[in-house]
Amino acid sequence: MQTELKVEGMTCGHCTGAVEGALAKEAGVKKAKANLDSGLVTIDYNESEISLDKIKETIEDQGYDVK
Amino acid sequence: MQTELKVEGMTCGHCTGAVEGALAKEAGVKKAKANLDSGLVTIDYNESEISLDKIKETIEDQGYDVK
């Protein structure tokens, strides 16, 4: 399954890297790509292994807001 | 010796951490503290071990501009 989330607060490449890295560590996340300009994070995941809520929580734990 | 440099481009805590971390790794730098709000980086260093030019270069190598 693929989803795209709007994330606020990413200001630099460290931020996109932190979001991508945190998501990549989660079981069930196959691919995560954050776009600094748009604030969009695209996530490929296996919904039998991880919920969308858990994905959002993972991003928020890095200090960003998911809209 | 202590100096304070104005650095442009630091947008988040990852950025201040990257600047502080890179400086801390340099021989001769005793202490480095970056302020996100002001963009000021305060560096305590031993001028017999590291030059101000090298300090500036270290910051620029992280992707920021020293004014």
Side-chain angles (χ1 to χ4, degrees):
Chain A
M1 192 176 193
Q2 186 180 82
T3 191
E4 195 176 61
L5 297 173
K6 174 73 178 167
V7 176
E8 290 191 348
M10 298 187 299
T11 59
C12 71
H14 298 120
C15 293
T16 53
V19 168
E20 290 172 354
L23 288 169
K25 280 185 194 160
E26 291 295 321
V29 173
K30 288 181 267 186
K31 196 175 172 187
K33 183 71 191 157
N35 185 297
L36 181 58
D37 292 330
S38 65
L40 293 173
V41 180
T42 308
I43 304 127
D44 288 311
Y45 68 105
N46 185 335
E47 66 269 37
S48 68
E49 288 183 75
I50 188 167
S51 66
L52 187 56
D53 277 352
K54 176 65 180 168
I55 286 172
K56 290 180 180 175
E57 188 186 314
T58 300
I59 296 171
E60 286 165 352
D61 284 349
Q62 291 297 315
Y64 306 101
D65 287 329
V66 180
K67 294 294 156 186
Chain B
M1 192 177 194
Q2 186 179 81
T3 191
E4 194 175 62
L5 297 173
K6 173 73 179 167
V7 176
E8 289 191 348
M10 299 187 298
T11 58
C12 71
H14 297 120
C15 294
T16 54
V19 168
E20 290 172 353
L23 288 169
K25 279 183 194 162
E26 290 296 320
V29 172
K30 289 182 267 186
K31 196 177 173 186
K33 182 71 192 158
N35 185 297
L36 181 58
D37 292 329
S38 64
L40 294 172
V41 180
T42 308
I43 305 127
D44 288 311
Y45 67 105
N46 185 336
E47 65 269 36
S48 68
E49 289 182 76
I50 189 167
S51 67
L52 186 55
D53 278 351
K54 176 65 179 166
I55 286 172
K56 290 179 181 177
E57 189 187 313
T58 300
I59 296 171
E60 285 165 352
D61 284 349
Q62 291 297 314
Y64 306 101
D65 288 329
V66 179
K67 295 294 157 186

